[in-house]
Amino acid sequence: MSETGEAAERFSGRTAWAMQLKTPLREFLRTETGGAALLLTATVAALLWANVDTSSYESVWGTRLSIRLGGSGLSQDLREWVNTGLMTFFFFVVGLEARREFDMGELRDRRRLVLPLTAGVGGMIVPIVIFLSFNAGGPSAHGWGAAMSTDTAFALGMLTLAAKNVPSRMRAYLLTVTVVDDLVALAVIAVFYSSHVRVVPLLVTLAILVVVLALRVRGERHGIVYAVLGIAAWVAMFESGIEPVVVGLILGLLTYASPAARDDLQRASEMFRLFREQPTAELARTASDGLASAISPNERLQLLYHPWTSYVIVPIFALANAGVAISGGLLSHALTSPITLGILIAYIAGKPIGITGCSWLISRLTRGRVQVPVGWAAVVGGGAIAGIGFTVSLLIATLAFRGMRLEEAKLGILGSALVASILTWAIFRVTRMLPKKMKLRALLGTAEPIVDLAAPVDPERDHIRGPADAPVTVVEYGDYECPYCGQAEPVVRELLADFGDVRYVWRHLPLHDVHPAAQLAAEAAEAAAAQDMFWEMHDRLFAHQERLRARDLVAHAGALGLDVERFGTDLRRHFGAARVAEDLDSADLSGVSGTPTFFINGKRHYGAYDIETLSAAVRAARARAYLGIVS
């Protein structure tokens, strides 16, 4: 193989392997978990700072910072720049994730939108009602917005700490509910917690956002263009009197998400080859643009901004806003304060009641046609952890309250986060003590997951190993020349040996742009299948990945005892090309662009291919199948 081919193969291999290990949701959850630890640290640091030296804490965050250009400019204190400036990036990431869920996640099935939408809204209305029941008729009633919104980052992070080994579908469900929560919260900030609205700057903001939308439709991909327009929209929104963090959310929602298409990856690979052969600055730019264009803007921007928001911006926000000078007088006053008690009860009781109650109501009203994707213990536990309302709650509290009332609100917010975490731990602790059948049903439920595999397994045409009536089916799209498929092959063998009730299906996905011998190798396997020896050839090709030229394939056929003349004729006439093309078409329909890609009971498997990870995924699928059988 040429140096160019080897370099392209290494590049493609690393890219394909990384694509399989990482997904937007998986990376989102992983980043949130790490960010929660930093957020907790920043909160403790803010409390210590505020109690050790209150004047220093207030002096630093009250420092005035002005940005002027000519005769005009913006001026806020440092805390306000954090709350309205840096937090715009936080809500931008929220918008990106909401759009991704709508385009590629659980919400791509529009019928499933009604459940998280209703649960999210219900999980806000009930806490608001509770807060108002404590504060009705008083001046503090205006702060009802501080008792309604979940902190997605903190909640998901604390869920991992308080309830280990919960189903990944539960985290996905909680994420979709809290995304709705965040969207409504931003609308509330814009409508109820903004100063007097000035019409002209608001119209300018809308005009800029229309331009952004038009550029998106035209396919403009230069980030600097959107950055300039985003800054202009932020400034105009600031001047309009509406909280400018809304701009971040809107820009995120306008950023589409889509899986990497195989054609785009092939073009990127070809551009890389051209650069490898002639490494000029122009071809370097072309190759870089080609690689970037293969990935949707949503995923690229999440990869860029999400770590910054979780590891830097949100902890800075906590450091700037969570400091409360706790004294005996404040604590005794907070025990009877309608603000503190209203926020505390709203979160620790209102959130689980609202989310669980609305989820149950929708399931009943639709007579089971719309079901929660997890069990009811998971729903209740998710509702309990949603009682962490840190970031957005603090943001609204700083807009609604001043002085002692703000301190009381902060105590309620911090207290509810602590109690919600303990309550969640207790719920899952009790759930783990249930008998196995009840525990599985309580955590997993019986709702059917979204099926990602577009072409169902057909015993009449697919190549299958394992019992036909197995409760778990593992489908792999692979390439005989792909080194990572070669690494996955012994793992699959071990998996089949460990689980006697797993059915394994192989489908071809030759990446001929980086693996020139893969197409012919796939056709050779089909030629062997014509003589009822597909799996023998399949195993031999993986055992000799470095020998996939035509004469090598004929030699493999001879070693296996095939009719070599017939095999050679079938290979020359591309007998198996049509069959391989069918698998390629099914891969495209399922959004598969790299190898190896696994589906387990129709659900795409995201993660590593070591035996522990695959075994855990198979056990989870078997548990869901078991529930379906016994229900």
Side-chain angles (χ1 to χ4, degrees):
M1 184 181 293
S2 67
E3 289 184 6
T4 301
E6 292 174 355
E9 178 179 345
R10 288 194 298 271
F11 168 78
S12 174
R14 286 194 299 268
T15 301
W17 186 251
M19 285 171 56
Q20 301 303 326
L21 289 176
K22 299 178 180 179
T23 69
L25 178 59
R26 183 173 296 276
E27 288 304 296
F28 187 93
L29 294 174
R30 185 179 293 115
T31 306
E32 297 295 16
T33 302
L38 281 177
L39 179 58
L40 185 60
T41 302
T43 302
V44 173
L47 288 170
L48 290 174
W49 185 2
N51 283 275
V52 171
D53 192 347
T54 305
S55 62
S56 168
Y57 180 81
E58 291 301 329
S59 175
V60 168
W61 295 112
T63 302
R64 205 70 182 172
L65 177 62
S66 300
I67 300 176
R68 305 195 67 82
L69 184 62
S72 59
L74 304 176
S75 181
Q76 299 185 100
D77 64 38
L78 195 55
R79 180 181 286 115
E80 289 173 332
W81 277 111
V82 170
N83 294 352
T84 63
L86 290 183
M87 288 301 288
T88 301
F89 291 97
F90 170 80
F91 287 108
F92 176 62
V93 171
V94 170
L96 289 175
E97 182 57 25
R99 181 60 186 262
R100 194 208 68 81
E101 283 298 307
F102 196 75
D103 289 345
M104 297 173 58
E106 292 289 326
L107 301 184
R108 71 184 186 273
D109 182 350
R110 301 298 184 247
R111 294 171 300 176
R112 300 196 177 206
L113 180 60
V114 63
L115 187 59
L117 179 62
T118 306
V121 173
M124 301 177 85
I125 291 177
V126 175
I128 290 171
V129 171
I130 291 176
F131 178 85
L132 289 176
S133 69
F134 280 87
N135 294 270
S140 58
H142 178 62
W144 55 267
M148 67 178 188
S149 185
T150 297
D151 185 323
T152 304
F154 212 170
L156 287 171
M158 292 306 295
L159 177 64
T160 301
L161 298 177
K164 295 181 179 180
N165 301 320
V166 297
S168 59
R169 288 169 66 186
M170 178 195 161
R171 292 185 175 89
Y173 178 67
L174 178 60
L175 179 61
T176 56
V177 171
T178 55
V179 161
V180 173
D181 188 304
D182 286 330
L183 299 182
V184 176
L186 262 292
V188 167
I189 291 174
V191 175
F192 296 100
Y193 294 100
S194 295
S195 56
H196 297 294
V197 177
R198 291 183 286 277
V199 177
V200 174
L202 180 58
L203 292 177
V204 172
T205 304
L206 295 176
I208 294 172
L209 293 175
V210 169
V211 172
V212 171
L213 180 58
L215 291 174
R216 287 283 188 218
V217 173
R218 288 183 55 188
E220 174 63 48
R221 301 182 68 92
H222 289 87
I224 187 64
V225 175
Y226 294 110
V228 171
L229 290 172
I231 293 172
W234 187 93
V235 172
M237 186 72 85
F238 181 91
E239 294 293 338
S240 74
I242 296 177
E243 280 298 312
V245 292
V246 176
V247 170
L249 179 70
I250 295 173
L251 291 177
L253 291 173
L254 292 177
T255 307
Y256 71 87
S258 62
R262 192 156 49 88
D263 290 343
D264 291 337
L265 292 176
Q266 289 174 353
R267 280 193 295 271
S269 179
E270 181 59 30
M271 292 175 184
F272 176 84
R273 277 204 184 95
L274 291 174
F275 169 71
R276 178 64 180 86
E277 293 169 356
Q278 193 175 16
T280 65
E282 182 179 357
L283 287 177
R285 185 174 64 252
T286 302
S288 178
D289 291 343
L291 291 173
S293 65
I295 306 299
S296 72
N298 187 289
E299 187 170 352
R300 286 190 288 110
L301 290 171
Q302 280 206 57
L303 183 65
L304 176 63
Y305 288 111
H306 192 200
W308 282 99
T309 58
S310 290
Y311 295 141
V312 178
I313 292 174
V314 172
I316 289 176
F317 172 85
L319 190 62
N321 291 277
V324 181
I326 300 175
S327 63
L330 176 61
L331 288 176
S332 62
H333 186 68
L335 290 175
T336 58
S337 166
I339 295 176
T340 304
L341 294 176
I343 290 176
L344 186 66
I345 303 302
Y347 274 118
I348 63 176
K351 276 291 181 180
I353 291 172
I355 291 175
T356 306
C358 286
S359 299
W360 177 84
L361 184 62
I362 289 296
S363 179
R364 293 286 294 180
L365 290 177
T366 61
R367 297 182 180 179
R369 292 191 299 274
V370 176
Q371 298 185 47
V372 291
V374 291
W376 286 107
V379 174
V380 175
I385 203 66
I388 297 178
F390 195 83
T391 304
V392 180
S393 184
L394 277 176
L395 180 59
I396 296 178
T398 60
L399 297 172
F401 300 118
R402 292 291 183 273
M404 180 61 74
R405 288 177 182 171
L406 178 57
E407 302 302 297
E408 294 170 5
K410 287 181 179 181
L411 280 180
I413 293 167
L414 295 172
S416 62
L418 176 61
V419 175
S421 300
I422 296 173
L423 181 61
T424 303
W425 175 86
I427 290 170
F428 285 103
R429 179 69 176 175
V430 171
T431 302
R432 284 196 294 270
M433 296 170 63
L434 296 174
K436 181 179 178 181
K437 176 181 172 181
M438 292 179 63
K439 179 175 67 175
L440 289 175
R441 187 182 297 276
L443 291 174
L444 298 177
T446 57
E448 290 293 325
I450 292 179
V451 176
D452 299 311
L453 188 65
V457 174
D458 182 358
E460 298 299 321
R461 64 172 296 278
D462 276 310
H463 302 296
I464 299 174
R465 270 178 166 163
D469 58 348
V472 179
T473 297
V474 177
V475 176
E476 178 185 357
Y477 281 91
D479 173 325
Y480 289 115
E481 199 176 356
C482 169
Y484 295 104
C485 293
Q487 293 177 18
E489 177 62 18
V491 175
V492 170
R493 287 176 172 275
E494 185 176 352
L495 186 75
L496 294 176
D498 292 344
F499 294 90
D501 56 353
V502 172
R503 182 175 62 161
Y504 171 71
V505 179
W506 168 270
R507 287 180 176 175
H508 303 288
L509 183 59
L511 304 177
H512 52 77
D513 58 319
V514 290
H515 300 145
Q519 175 69 30
L520 192 61
E523 293 177 14
E526 291 303 323
Q531 299 185 43
D532 296 324
M533 294 193 70
F534 171 83
W535 289 110
E536 290 81 358
M537 179 61 77
H538 169 91
D539 297 343
R540 188 170 180 85
L541 293 177
F542 272 124
H544 302 279
Q545 283 190 293
E546 75 287 354
R547 295 177 55 201
L548 298 178
R549 292 175 297 179
R551 63 184 181 184
D552 296 324
L553 298 173
V554 173
H556 294 325
L560 292 174
L562 295 172
D563 183 335
V564 175
E565 183 176 352
R566 177 186 172 186
F567 178 88
T569 299
D570 288 343
L571 201 59
R572 285 191 301 273
R573 294 178 177 177
H574 298 285
F575 165 81
R579 174 65 179 76
V580 174
E582 291 178 3
D583 283 355
L584 286 170
D585 290 341
S586 71
D588 288 338
L589 291 173
S590 300
V592 178
S593 54
T595 57
T597 296
F598 288 89
F599 293 82
I600 300 178
N601 278 1
K603 185 72 173 177
R604 185 164 178 167
H605 170 72
Y606 292 113
Y609 309 130
D610 58 277
I611 189 61
E612 291 81 9
T613 304
L614 277 179
S615 295
V618 166
R619 281 193 292 269
R622 187 167 59 180
R624 287 192 292 269
Y626 169 74
L627 286 176
I629 292 172
V630 300
S631 61

